[in-house]
Amino acid sequence: MKNKILVYGAGAIGRGYIPWIFPSDRYELSFVENNSELRGLLQKQKEFTTYRTKSGQYVKLICEFKDCFDLGEEDPTDYDGIITAVGARQVYALIDSLSNVDCPIVLFENDSKIPLELSELTGKSNIYFGVPDVITSNTAPAEMLEQDPLSIVTEDGVCFVEDGAVDLGGDISYVSQEELSKQWTAKLYLHNTPHCIAAYLGAMHGKTYLHESMARDSIYSIVEGAMNEMSRTLIQLFDLDKEFVEWYSKKELARFSNVLLYDPVLRVAREPFRKLGLHDRLIGAAQLSLSVGVMPNNLTLGIMSAFLYDEEHDEDFHIKILMNSLEKEKFLKLIINVNPHEALYKLLVKKWDESIDTLKGI
Amino acid sequence: MILNRLEIAINAAVSAGDLLMDHYGKVYGIKNKESLRDVVSEIDELSESKVMSILQESDPGCTVLTEEKGLIGPDSDSRWIVDALDGTVNYIHNIPFFCVSISYWVDNRPSIGAIYNPYSGDIYYAEKGVGCFVNQKRLHLLDVELGNNLTAMAFSGKAYNPSMRSTEFGIFGQLNDLSQGCLRTGSAAMNLSYLSHGKFSLVMGKANKLWDVAAGLLIAEEAGADVKFNMTDKQKHLVDYIAATPSSKKKIYTDIDMSYFDL
């Protein structure tokens, strides 16, 4: 008998990566998706295609699933495991749904604070953090989409989850909270930080996909520079092995440049205010680097490129309104919440105009 | 750089708010207007001048209705409406509950609103059909019931129909008992901002000045509040209004005689 897994979110991770770690010979997947167009297509097709890139080639998997529900139609108590991959802001809409569930609930939400917050809000202790260390596009090349409009492309990644959820099984590394924290730190600052910088720089220059952005030498150079700044920071802060960090960094740059992934700039750059959180991948990263005496020159350019993100359909489209309305000091203090007494504030103010000129010229 | 109207409103509100903070805690010449609590200080006029200079530079030839100087510019149904210091009494007594309120109205309806409380650093802003925000955060009002939250009421000026004052106080008392408390904060603009932020479940006012509520009505509506208002005088400078969560509004219309309000 197969284990039944309910997946909230049939986007990049949900559709692209989950079927690879919960194979169909052992697991039966169902989805909850609130995008009516996507849900309609899933309900109509009852299957979709996910491609994994490996050794420069695609490996194809057709995922047949049991159900696809609208939010509220599902009965989450009817499953052996719950996965969420809906987005860090959207996951709070699931509080009611998760409050009566006793099976392991794993959150793939790119924010280590959320499992604790949801545990408090729901009163449940079966909520765990997961780190899928993988880049998954939310689309695919045109020829794949012609064959199956639900096609999606993912990397051959690895997945770490807190060991409390071990009953869930699957192709997952279950690790201690301490080990997961180390993996998350590495992912947040060596993957997420340069990844989103590549996206913001690409957006500034009209690129559609990450690999197109990374193909531009001037962008690659800033992304690599930010990666180096974070590598030096993490080695000093967490006593990480230098060889491991260098290997990880090199691997990451290759991942961002993967021409098979078709990872959209819009996906990676979305919600800049979340990424500019005080402890998140941009401001948080620069604060860490300053704390150990590493000058965040490239990180600063990355932060500025996020400030300048101009996408009218993004949830955080109003970043442009605020950048246009406010003087830089006010923007940093009131909107980004950086304290004027901090070194990062002074650095950003000092380099503001120079950074904008540099970014325009890349 | 050419700013759009929402950007102009935010820029002007924050610039004037900074000026208010520069002078906060200092004594200024205070003059009474209609009543003891209807006062104007030198800082009101300074702040208004600051807003005016930004509006006239960013939107040349515009029409502006201000609290202190009245209508400025050509007669037009598209106009800025400015209260450069809402909560003057609080301000002069060093109570940090005041703001700058700037809005843009077209055909007697608000299309842009920005309210800045310089003490807290909160910028509330909204555009019709686009949404409501405080600083970087989008605001979505939850339907919190009247009994589970605070409410606020802004009173009419003392000179406005004195014979009905007891009715007004009676409604205030009823609202106080139906909720976790009804506040009279001294800033109608901040009341509406706090409603949009979920800190109040219901806000209402009788014969408030249009410039006090012009931005806040839109901010509350765009956050998801049920908003009803009516300009009650010939000049269209006095406003009766109620803005609330849907369940709070339903409750108040069931439990309180609202005929005092011209809605």
Side-chain angles (χ1 to χ4, degrees), chain B residues 92-104:
Chain B
I92 60 180
H93 290 287
N94 300 333
I95 295 169
F97 201 75
F98 54 88
C99 62
V100 182
S101 170
I102 297 174
S103 67
Y104 192 80

Side-chain angles (χ1 to χ4, degrees), chain B residues 75-90:
Chain B
D75 190 15
S76 167
D77 285 336
S78 299
R79 59 180 62 173
W80 292 98
I81 301 176
V82 173
D83 189 348
L85 171 52
D86 185 50
T88 301
V89 176
N90 289 344

Side-chain angles (χ1 to χ4, degrees), chain A residues 117-152:
Chain A
E117 289 175 6
L118 277 193
S119 290
E120 276 186 25
L121 290 168
T122 59
K124 306 294 290 184
S125 58
N126 55 331
I127 299 178
Y128 303 96
F129 186 44
V131 181
D133 192 2
V134 62
I135 301 177
T136 302
S137 170
N138 58 2
T139 187
E143 57 273 23
M144 292 177 182
L145 292 170
E146 271 175 32
Q147 289 177 27
D148 175 359
L150 289 170
S151 290
I152 200 159

Side-chain angles (χ1 to χ4, degrees), chain A residues 53-73:
Chain A
T53 69
K54 198 166 186 180
S55 309
Q57 291 187 318
Y58 292 113
V59 181
K60 181 178 177 180
L61 171 69
I62 294 177
C63 173
E64 294 177 10
F65 56 91
K66 178 77 166 41
D67 293 302
C68 183
F69 304 102
D70 191 4
L71 181 61
E73 288 177 351

Side-chain angles (χ1 to χ4, degrees), chain A residues 89 273-274 276 314-318 320-327 330 334-337, chain B residues 1 3-4 6-8 10-11 14 18 116 121-123 125 130 133 135-138 140:
Chain A
R89 287 180 178 166
F273 279 134
R274 183 167 58 81
L276 287 162
D314 193 274
E315 174 74 14
D316 291 343
F317 71 94
H318 52 298
K320 184 185 177 191
I321 293 168
L322 294 165
M323 277 287 283
N324 288 345
S325 313
L326 300 173
E327 291 174 359
K330 283 284 164 200
L334 299 178
I335 309 303
I336 305 300
N337 298 314
Chain B
M1 184 194 293
L3 302 182
N4 65 36
L6 179 56
E7 292 165 351
I8 293 168
I10 294 170
N11 179 263
V14 172
D18 285 349
Y116 179 49
D122 290 329
I123 314 167
Y125 53 105
V130 174
F133 307 86
N135 296 4
Q136 61 165 258
K137 187 180 169 190
R138 184 186 277 269
H140 296 288

Side-chain angles (χ1 to χ4, degrees), chain A residues 45-299:
Chain A
Q45 292 192 184
K46 285 283 180 190
E47 64 176 35
F48 58 83
T49 315
T50 169
Y51 294 87
R52 182 159 70 177
T53 69
K54 198 166 186 180
S55 309
Q57 291 187 318
Y58 292 113
V59 181
K60 181 178 177 180
L61 171 69
I62 294 177
C63 173
E64 294 177 10
F65 56 91
K66 178 77 166 41
D67 293 302
C68 183
F69 304 102
D70 191 4
L71 181 61
E73 288 177 351
E74 80 286 9
D75 177 5
T77 62
D78 194 29
Y79 293 85
D80 302 306
I82 308 274
I83 305 289
T84 78
V86 294
R89 287 180 178 166
Q90 291 76 12
V91 74
Y92 292 95
L94 306 182
I95 289 170
D96 289 342
S97 305
L98 302 181
S99 292
N100 298 316
V101 174
D102 293 323
C103 67
I105 301 167
V106 176
L107 309 185
F108 289 159
E109 301 298 357
N110 247 337
D111 188 334
S112 61
K113 298 186 302 295
I114 292 176
L116 290 173
E117 289 175 6
L118 277 193
S119 290
E120 276 186 25
L121 290 168
T122 59
K124 306 294 290 184
S125 58
N126 55 331
I127 299 178
Y128 303 96
F129 186 44
V131 181
D133 192 2
V134 62
I135 301 177
T136 302
S137 170
N138 58 2
T139 187
E143 57 273 23
M144 292 177 182
L145 292 170
E146 271 175 32
Q147 289 177 27
D148 175 359
L150 289 170
S151 290
I152 200 159
V153 180
T154 185
E155 272 188 314
D156 182 22
V158 288
C159 184
F160 299 93
V161 172
E162 281 181 70
D163 50 14
V166 69
D167 289 347
L168 201 59
D171 295 337
I172 289 172
S173 294
Y174 289 95
V175 296
S176 66
Q177 282 194 350
E178 191 184 353
E179 174 62 20
L180 190 68
S181 172
K182 193 169 137 188
Q183 291 293 343
W184 169 242
T185 301
K187 191 188 176 209
L188 180 62
Y189 295 122
L190 292 178
H191 172 83
N192 291 355
T193 297
H195 198 212
C196 75
I197 290 174
Y200 290 121
L201 295 171
M204 284 189 82
H205 292 277
K207 303 298 182 192
T208 305
Y209 298 107
L210 250 290
H211 67 267
E212 295 171 348
S213 177
M214 291 294 283
R216 195 176 176 114
D217 288 343
S218 52
I219 292 179
Y220 189 99
S221 167
I222 294 172
V223 174
E224 186 181 34
M227 179 78 85
N228 289 339
E229 286 160 12
M230 279 324 295
S231 299
R232 287 164 55 205
T233 299
L234 293 187
I235 288 167
Q236 288 193 55
L237 265 181
F238 300 110
D239 200 24
L240 292 182
D241 180 69
K242 193 178 172 201
E243 274 185 30
F244 165 77
V245 171
E246 284 174 355
W247 167 82
Y248 193 102
S249 303
K250 205 171 167 185
K251 175 176 69 89
E252 289 301 303
L253 291 169
R255 290 169 83 181
F256 302 162
S257 306
N258 186 344
V259 297
L260 297 177
L261 263 181
Y262 286 84
D263 197 10
V265 160
L266 289 180
R267 185 189 79 81
V268 183
R270 72 185 169 194
E271 299 175 0
F273 279 134
R274 183 167 58 81
K275 296 176 169 82
L276 287 162
L278 290 183
H279 302 288
D280 217 295
R281 66 210 69 183
L282 290 167
I283 299 293
Q287 294 280 34
L288 278 185
S289 83
L290 280 168
S291 75
V292 293
V294 173
M295 188 53 75
N297 293 318
N298 291 285
L299 289 167

